[in-house]
């Protein structure tokens, strides 16, 4: 609000006070760094670097801001290093997105480590879907950005007498979309139907505390 109403000069001492109390406050460092670089003050680079350390979501835009400043200063070699850093980080993001978008036979999983309170909430959500008879929750072992967990919720559905063992993809898709909409887990979650991949169920069963839901009367 101070920035919007009174301008950059007025907000600088406030940001400095925040950083004095918390040297690695991401947003304060980021904003102060931007303001200083606009004033052609190279010390802004240090503040943006501190912000990047704390918030990986601003790595690319932070590097681009520094790159633009260094280019305007005629420091092309230093600017190029930040441009390459942003490009390399973007490549990592693409690899991470691919890694998180599907499951493979050789994927490894760890126990979910989610609190019992959160797991109970998830059980309640699952119980609202009468076609779901079993559910497993694990955490995928990731190569890229492992500090940002990806949970895997694998559900097994039952079928009525009239359906037999047929699996309708449209029904499966509806179940997955509904669970994603209801999901309250603190991080990203990958949800899929187990019926067409029973070998994966055997793998998940071996993970400690992986089975979080079983419909009453089903074994």
């Amino acid at each position: 609000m101070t920035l919007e109403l009174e301008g950059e000069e007025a907000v600088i001492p406030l940001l400095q006070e925040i950083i004095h109390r918390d040297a690695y406050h991401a947003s304060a460092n980021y904003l102060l760094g931007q303001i200083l670089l606009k004033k052609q003050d190279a010390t802004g680079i240090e503040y943006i670097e501190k912000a990047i350390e704390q918030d990986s979501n601003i790595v690319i835009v932070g590097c681009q801001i520094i790159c633009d400043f260094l280019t305007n200063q005629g420091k092309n070699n230093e600017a190029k290093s930040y441009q390459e850093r942003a490009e390399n980080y973007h490549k990592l993001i693409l690899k991470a997105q691919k890694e998180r978008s599907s499951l493979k036979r050789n994927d490894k999983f760890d126990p979910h480590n989610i609190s019992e309170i959160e797991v109970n909430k998830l059980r309640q959500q699952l119980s609202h879907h009468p076609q779901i008879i079993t559910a497993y929750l694990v955490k995928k072992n990731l190569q890229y950005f492992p500090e940002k967990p990806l949970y895997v919720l694998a559900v097994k559905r039952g079928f009525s007498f009239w359906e037999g063992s047929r699996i309708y993809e449209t029904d499966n898709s509806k179940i997955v979309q509904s669970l994603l909409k209801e999901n309250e887990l603190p991080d990203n979650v990958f949800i899929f139907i187990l019926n067409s991949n029973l070998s994966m169920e055997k793998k998940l069963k071996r993970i400690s505390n992986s089975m979080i839901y079983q419909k009453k009367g089903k074994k």
Side-chain angles (χ1 to χ4, degrees), residues 18 22 28 37 39 48-49 56 59-61 66-67 77 79 88-89 93 105-106 108 122 129 142 169 172 177 201 211:
I18 294 171
D22 180 1
L37 292 184
K39 294 166 66 69
I48 291 181
E49 285 283 11
S56 60
V59 170
I60 293 177
V61 66
I66 296 173
C67 177
N77 288 335
N88 290 334
Y89 195 81
I93 290 175
R105 186 172 298 177
N106 60 347
K108 296 181 180 179
L122 189 52
H129 297 268
L142 299 170
E169 291 299 327
N172 289 345
Q177 291 304 316
E201 183 177 17
M211 183 185 286

Side-chain angles (χ1 to χ4, degrees), residues 115-126:
S115 72
E116 190 62 21
I117 293 175
E118 295 297 326
V119 171
N120 281 331
K121 288 182 183 178
L122 189 52
R123 289 190 184 109
Q124 286 295 318
Q125 293 165 10
L126 292 167

Side-chain angles (χ1 to χ4, degrees), residues 29-208:
N29 274 285
Y30 183 62
L31 182 54
L32 181 57
Q34 284 183 289
I35 292 171
L36 292 175
L37 292 184
K38 284 175 66 177
K39 294 166 66 69
Q40 305 304 309
D41 184 344
T43 59
I45 294 176
E46 175 186 343
Y47 290 103
I48 291 181
E49 285 283 11
K50 283 185 178 179
I52 287 173
E53 285 182 39
Q54 301 304 308
D55 186 356
S56 60
N57 293 320
I58 59 174
V59 170
I60 293 177
V61 66
C63 286
Q64 289 174 336
I65 290 170
I66 296 173
C67 177
D68 290 342
F69 169 78
L70 292 171
T71 299
N72 291 334
Q73 294 288 312
K75 299 179 179 180
N76 294 325
N77 288 335
E78 293 180 48
K80 184 179 179 181
S81 70
Y82 277 96
Q83 182 62 39
E84 290 175 348
R85 182 176 168 187
E87 291 172 355
N88 290 334
Y89 195 81
H90 179 65
K91 290 177 183 177
L92 285 179
I93 290 175
L94 293 178
K95 290 179 179 179
Q97 289 174 344
K98 183 177 180 180
E99 182 181 40
R100 293 163 182 265
S101 65
S102 63
L103 296 180
K104 298 179 180 179
R105 186 172 298 177
N106 60 347
D107 282 339
K108 296 181 180 179
F109 304 98
D110 299 314
H112 58 75
N113 293 329
I114 296 224
S115 72
E116 190 62 21
I117 293 175
E118 295 297 326
V119 171
N120 281 331
K121 288 182 183 178
L122 189 52
R123 289 190 184 109
Q124 286 295 318
Q125 293 165 10
L126 292 167
S127 69
H128 297 153
H129 297 268
Q131 63 272 66
I132 295 177
I133 57 175
T134 313
Y136 301 86
L137 180 66
V138 295
K139 185 168 62 173
K140 184 175 178 178
N141 194 306
L142 299 170
Q143 179 180 355
Y144 303 102
F145 307 117
E147 71 279 4
K148 297 179 179 180
L150 174 68
Y151 296 102
V152 175
L153 177 62
V155 300
K156 187 175 179 181
R157 58 172 299 190
F159 299 91
S160 69
F161 172 79
W162 298 108
E163 290 175 316
S165 60
R166 293 175 300 171
I167 297 175
Y168 295 100
E169 291 299 327
T170 53
D171 289 344
N172 289 345
S173 178
K174 288 179 181 178
I175 294 171
V176 170
Q177 291 304 316
S178 178
L179 289 172
L180 283 171
K181 186 177 180 180
E182 298 167 4
N183 172 54
E184 294 183 7
L185 291 177
D187 294 283
N188 292 329
V189 59
F190 185 99
I191 301 175
F192 76 105
I193 306 296
L194 268 173
N195 295 71
S196 59
N197 194 347
L198 296 181
S199 61
M200 180 65 78
E201 183 177 17
K202 294 179 181 179
K203 190 173 185 177
L204 297 178
K205 279 183 177 180
R206 294 195 289 267
I207 309 299
S208 176

